[in-house]
Amino acid sequence: NIWDSGATYKGWRSFEALAVAKQEEFRARKQQILLATRLSYFNVQLALEKVRLLADSLQLSQAQYRDIETRLRAGASSRLDAYSAHQQVLVYLLQFRQARSDLASSLRDLFALTGQNKDVDVSLPLYAEDKEIYQDYEPATVFLSMDPLENSFGAIKPVDFNKDNSAAKNPQTLAMNQMAQASRLAAESASSAHWPKIQLMAKTSWDYPNGPVLERFHQNTVGVAATLPLFEAGKITHDVAEKNAQADANERRRDQIQSDIMRDWQKSSDQLKGFIAQREINKKSVFETEELAKLTYTSYKNGRSSLLEVQSTNLRALEAKVQTVRTEVQILMQFAIMASLSGEEVAK
């Protein structure tokens, strides 16, 4: 080809842009998997902490039930209190069993994302650090030990987000931008078909024709061909219009992705501020509810409070601890989401 109005060159650049777009799509997928894995890991940490906290509350309720039984035999407590205390033990036992099932489900999700430990029986997981306290419960199929939440905070931190270029550098945005560029170049390549194409052909050969004169001869051939479309029923025009429309659509998708990234970043930032504020409130709540639970039980033993008040304060203390852990995990999740939205590089 001596001249084709740049059709071949622009076609090559179009496919090159498509290749870059696929690389960015691959990077975007890796980031999505990384984010999903981080969120799943944090969910496992939350589920494990709930198991531990419920185990502590279950132990406390069992200890109080034994104390009330002792007081009942001594005539210092009523059978109504004994039944009520045992009901509280059963409630915590049910919640503890459900928490173990929830932890098993969270582990399955994590293992599916990481491709590890698929054959491990995690149907009855338990907290590894205090194995001895579980002797009276269903035997564990696996004891689980994980990094504390403090270590997770050290591994993932908030990242800077530049409103001017962070969204533009996100791999999803870059992929769509390359797709639009590829469509524009393909349109230009197709448009080149409107213009003449000039081709040069040269050939040298030894020929042995199967004719009346059976002898070999050397032949050199040189040719030049010029082609120009005279009538093609608008095929080229429609092809160009289609590819330009694809480019317009990809550019609008790119702009929408950038807008969505900005929106999601702002939402995560707002959520993060709220969770950080809740963290301080939770710390005070945990301290006060624990103290209140201790004082209420002491008051009950002295005959100044009812068992219902004791159970209520115990429940509030548990809820405050669970809420504290949930808030910490939510902060970690927002960090992970914001890191993903910023276009954070992932390991190759």
Side-chain angles (χ1 to χ4, degrees), residues 145-156:
S145 178
M146 299 186 71
D147 290 335
L149 291 174
E150 292 78 9
N151 290 7
S152 295
F153 278 104
I156 179 170

Side-chain angles (χ1 to χ4, degrees), residues 200-228:
L200 171 67
M201 184 271 292
K203 175 184 176 183
T204 181
S205 63
W206 280 100
D207 292 338
Y208 188 82
N210 188 14
V213 180
L214 301 178
E215 61 181 23
R216 297 179 63 185
F217 60 91
H218 180 249
Q219 180 172 332
N220 295 319
T221 306
V222 177
V224 177
T227 59
L228 175 68

Side-chain angles (χ1 to χ4, degrees), residues 17 21 168 171-182 250-251 254:
Q172 295 182 64
T173 304
L174 294 175
M176 200 53 63
N177 192 56
Q178 290 295 323
M179 291 286 287
Q181 184 177 351
N250 288 331
E251 287 172 352
R254 176 201 62 199

Side-chain angles (χ1 to χ4, degrees), residues 21-275:
K22 292 300 180 182
Q23 292 172 355
E24 293 298 335
E25 287 178 1
F26 176 68
R27 193 163 70 93
R29 184 56 181 159
K30 288 179 70 176
Q31 283 195 335
Q32 292 170 1
I33 294 173
L34 174 62
L35 174 60
T37 305
R38 283 173 168 174
L39 297 181
S40 181
Y41 183 82
F42 297 150
N43 275 324
V44 172
Q45 286 184 305
L46 174 59
L48 184 60
E49 285 298 310
K50 288 178 69 175
V51 168
R52 183 182 64 81
L53 291 173
L54 280 166
D56 292 342
S57 295
L58 178 57
Q59 283 186 295
L60 176 62
S61 65
Q62 288 172 328
Q64 291 179 347
Y65 172 61
R66 290 191 295 268
D67 183 42
I68 290 172
E69 277 194 318
T70 301
R71 290 166 56 83
L72 176 63
R73 288 192 292 268
S77 185
S78 66
R79 186 168 296 276
L80 178 63
D81 284 351
Y83 277 121
S84 181
H86 191 255
Q87 282 297 308
Q88 189 67 25
V89 171
L90 295 179
V91 168
Y92 281 130
L93 189 58
L94 286 172
Q95 292 179 352
F96 177 64
R97 184 60 178 81
Q98 182 60 48
R100 294 175 70 185
S101 297
D102 294 342
L103 176 57
S105 296
S106 297
L107 282 170
R108 293 295 184 192
D109 292 338
L110 179 62
F111 292 162
L113 286 166
T114 60
Q116 299 175 343
N117 304 314
K118 293 182 178 179
D119 299 327
V120 176
D121 183 4
V122 296
S123 57
L124 283 172
L126 279 175
Y127 201 80
E129 278 70 7
D130 298 309
K131 294 182 180 181
E132 66 277 1
I133 71 172
Y134 301 119
Q135 295 176 357
D136 298 333
Y137 312 134
E138 293 175 273
T141 57
V142 61
F143 283 99
L144 183 63
S145 178
M146 299 186 71
D147 290 335
L149 291 174
E150 292 78 9
N151 290 7
S152 295
F153 278 104
I156 179 170
K157 297 179 181 179
V159 295
D160 293 330
F161 188 83
N162 188 324
K163 294 182 179 180
D164 295 330
N165 58 22
S166 290
K169 291 182 178 179
N170 187 283
Q172 295 182 64
T173 304
L174 294 175
M176 200 53 63
N177 192 56
Q178 290 295 323
M179 291 286 287
Q181 184 177 351
S183 296
R184 293 284 184 209
L185 290 167
E188 293 177 12
S189 177
S191 180
S192 300
H194 280 124
W195 307 103
K197 179 190 293 186
I198 302 175
Q199 293 176 308
L200 171 67
M201 184 271 292
K203 175 184 176 183
T204 181
S205 63
W206 280 100
D207 292 338
Y208 188 82
N210 188 14
V213 180
L214 301 178
E215 61 181 23
R216 297 179 63 185
F217 60 91
H218 180 249
Q219 180 172 332
N220 295 319
T221 306
V222 177
V224 177
T227 59
L228 175 68
L230 297 178
F231 180 74
E232 35 80 27
K235 178 182 180 301
I236 297 174
T237 302
H238 293 152
D239 191 22
V240 172
E242 177 194 2
K243 289 176 170 55
N244 279 324
Q246 290 176 351
D248 291 339
N250 288 331
E251 287 172 352
R252 284 167 173 76
R253 292 191 189 100
R254 176 201 62 199
D255 294 340
Q256 184 61 53
I257 288 172
Q258 286 184 274
S259 177
D260 291 344
I261 290 172
M262 290 295 302
R263 178 204 62 201
D264 293 342
W265 173 272
Q266 291 167 347
K267 287 171 61 176
S268 291
S269 179
D270 294 340
Q271 290 288 327
L272 181 60
K273 291 177 183 177
F275 289 131

